[in-house]
Amino acid sequence: MHSAQPWRRILRTVLAGTSASVLLCGLAACGDNTPSPSLTQSSAQVQGSYTEKLSGEFAAAGASSQKSAVDALIVGYSALQPNIAMSYDPSGSGAGVNTFLTGAVAWAGSDASLSDEQIQSSQAVCLGSTAFEIPVYVSPIAVVYNLSDYGLNESSVHMSPSTIAKIFTGKITSWDDPQLKKENPDIADKLPSLEITPVWRSDKSGTTKTFQTYLHHTAPNDWTSEPSETWPNSLGQGAKGTPAVTMTIGQAQGTLGYADFAQVSGLGTVAVGVGSDYVAPSPEATAKLIDESAASSDSLGTDGRFVIDVNYATQESGVYPIALVSYDIACPVYKDARTATYTKQWLSYALSDAGQKISQDNAGSAPIPQSLREKMLPVIDTITAAKN
């Protein structure tokens, strides 16, 4: 059932829009199908601590935001454990956590931290202990637009939080609005007299909640809706899922929406106002946000839980302020040693230098700060199996 090099089989499923040959060249040395230096490094990191070889099938489920990163990580981890088969069902954060709480999967991916009710419920599957969250994936959420006919998709139009909020509430409706011209003096004469069409997620989405939370913290006078996974108005055009949002934006001039930065190729990206500057989305600028947010959190690591209170209202220069933090949710105690060992190895691999690089290269994620990873790894190391 299992081949000696299972990444060849897995490659057929990974990364929508990325060819197998491109990914293989990214994760393995082109020409000889051997693991690349990054995978070799990961092997040393993981196997140095956890030498036990595993076999059989392991399943996880949850946030669709993690799918591209998880698919790529599966390729690398399977090179370390060639006798296992891994699956990840991108059923959504809520569905994934619910599946985890039934004990049907080893861990869940979630764009939200656990609720108090879920924490209590986790005692059943975690054998009296409570589940914990480890941030493994951070994605810049870009505000994107299409003005390709006007030569502006490469210009990074500047927008303050207030301007963005006013567009999505219908208070600013044209690309040549005086406020937009004021914030973009270098391209003011190029901004067209064209209606702005907001595009938003029509399905429940962690990306939507992240974007609304940013507006709630940075433009409270202009964005009065409470953050939610559901979009609060019907202005413009709704689309189900990030691919549909970016496709809708790409098909019409004047559109503006929000999407995972990894999926916005070919569209214009807004440089958002931060302090006295404007910052465009990038993994590096978003990593600074997570570093700053983690450093200021007093409760980080309490009860083994690492929930990041993102500082959306940062005023620090060079920090991109809109980021989705996605977690892997796991138990400190599992019923069987095999699942405990797998979960421990998987989380350690995802947080290794090479694992983070694979996520960044294949999913556009921002790296988790080294200082935070060093705090989380000892918690992961305590994962164990129940004593018979």
Side-chain angles (χ1 to χ4, degrees), residues 311-349:
N311 184 15
Y312 297 101
T314 181
Q315 298 295 294
E316 291 295 319
S317 176
V319 176
Y320 185 74
I322 318 176
L324 172 71
V325 179
S326 198
Y327 302 88
D328 281 359
I329 293 169
C331 283
V333 181
Y334 285 88
K335 291 181 180 180
D336 65 278
R338 196 173 65 95
T339 303
T341 299
Y342 156 71
T343 304
K344 184 187 297 187
Q345 289 190 4
W346 172 262
L347 293 176
S348 297
Y349 179 73

Side-chain angles (χ1 to χ4, degrees), residues 12-376:
R12 291 194 296 267
T13 66
V14 297
L15 301 181
T18 303
S19 70
S21 60
V22 170
L23 184 61
L24 186 59
C25 287
L27 299 184
C30 296
D32 58 9
N33 289 343
T34 58
S36 69
S38 66
L39 289 183
T40 303
Q41 179 187 10
S42 287
S43 177
Q45 290 171 336
V46 177
Q47 292 181 330
S49 299
Y50 312 115
T51 57
E52 181 178 347
K53 289 296 183 180
L54 297 172
S55 62
E57 297 181 355
F58 298 94
S64 60
S65 60
Q66 291 191 33
K67 185 181 187 312
S68 293
V70 170
D71 283 344
L73 287 168
I74 285 175
V75 174
Y77 181 69
S78 295
L80 303 171
Q81 293 286 6
N83 295 316
I84 71 167
M86 270 191 65
S87 64
Y88 182 74
D89 178 12
S91 54
S93 298
V97 171
N98 288 339
T99 303
F100 167 78
L101 293 175
T102 70
V105 294
W107 55 269
S110 178
D111 295 338
S113 58
L114 295 169
S115 67
D116 291 342
E117 181 180 353
Q118 289 169 334
I119 287 289
Q120 293 303 312
S121 297
S122 71
Q123 293 183 66
V125 70
C126 297
L127 307 183
S129 299
T130 54
F132 62 94
E133 306 97 325
I134 294 291
V136 296
Y137 176 80
V138 176
S139 173
I141 302 302
V143 183
V144 293
Y145 60 88
N146 187 8
L147 292 173
S148 59
D149 286 357
Y150 304 89
L152 293 175
N153 275 16
E154 303 298 327
S155 298
S156 280
V157 173
H158 292 179
M159 294 187 188
S160 66
S162 175
T163 297
I164 296 170
K166 287 178 179 177
I167 289 173
F168 281 98
T169 55
K171 296 175 183 176
I172 291 179
T173 60
S174 178
W175 282 99
D176 64 350
D177 186 273
Q179 181 61 33
L180 282 169
K181 287 191 170 186
K182 179 180 178 182
E183 293 187 58
N184 295 274
D186 292 341
I187 58 171
D189 60 338
K190 295 182 180 179
L191 292 170
S193 178
L194 178 69
E195 181 181 0
I196 302 175
T197 302
V199 180
W200 37 272
R201 288 280 292 269
S202 60
D203 55 327
K204 294 180 69 174
S205 164
T207 304
T208 291
K209 187 172 183 179
T210 295
F211 184 57
Q212 290 191 63
T213 302
Y214 161 74
L215 294 176
H216 175 76
H217 281 281
T218 57
N221 294 330
D222 300 299
W223 187 266
T224 57
S225 299
E226 286 295 318
S228 167
E229 292 182 339
T230 303
W231 191 251
N233 62 51
S234 58
L235 293 171
Q237 178 68 48
K240 185 176 181 180
T242 295
V245 166
T246 56
M247 182 178 68
T248 300
I249 295 171
Q251 288 177 339
Q253 296 296 307
T255 45
L256 177 89
Y258 57 92
D260 188 319
F261 180 60
Q263 301 187 50
V264 301
S265 178
L267 300 175
T269 55
V270 170
V272 302
V274 179
S276 59
D277 199 5
Y278 291 90
V279 183
S282 72
E284 295 76 17
T286 307
K288 292 179 182 179
L289 173 69
I290 301 307
D291 199 6
E292 173 189 318
S293 299
S296 64
S297 177
D298 295 331
S299 60
L300 202 66
T302 302
D303 298 326
R305 303 176 65 199
F306 288 84
V307 180
I308 298 175
D309 184 14
V310 177
N311 184 15
Y312 297 101
T314 181
Q315 298 295 294
E316 291 295 319
S317 176
V319 176
Y320 185 74
I322 318 176
L324 172 71
V325 179
S326 198
Y327 302 88
D328 281 359
I329 293 169
C331 283
V333 181
Y334 285 88
K335 291 181 180 180
D336 65 278
R338 196 173 65 95
T339 303
T341 299
Y342 156 71
T343 304
K344 184 187 297 187
Q345 289 190 4
W346 172 262
L347 293 176
S348 297
Y349 179 73
L351 291 178
S352 68
D353 289 345
Q356 287 291 291
K357 187 175 188 304
I358 287 170
S359 293
Q360 182 174 349
D361 289 349
N362 294 279
S365 64
I368 305 293
Q370 180 68 37
S371 58
L372 178 57
R373 287 187 278 149
E374 289 175 352
K375 294 177 181 177
M376 294 190 289

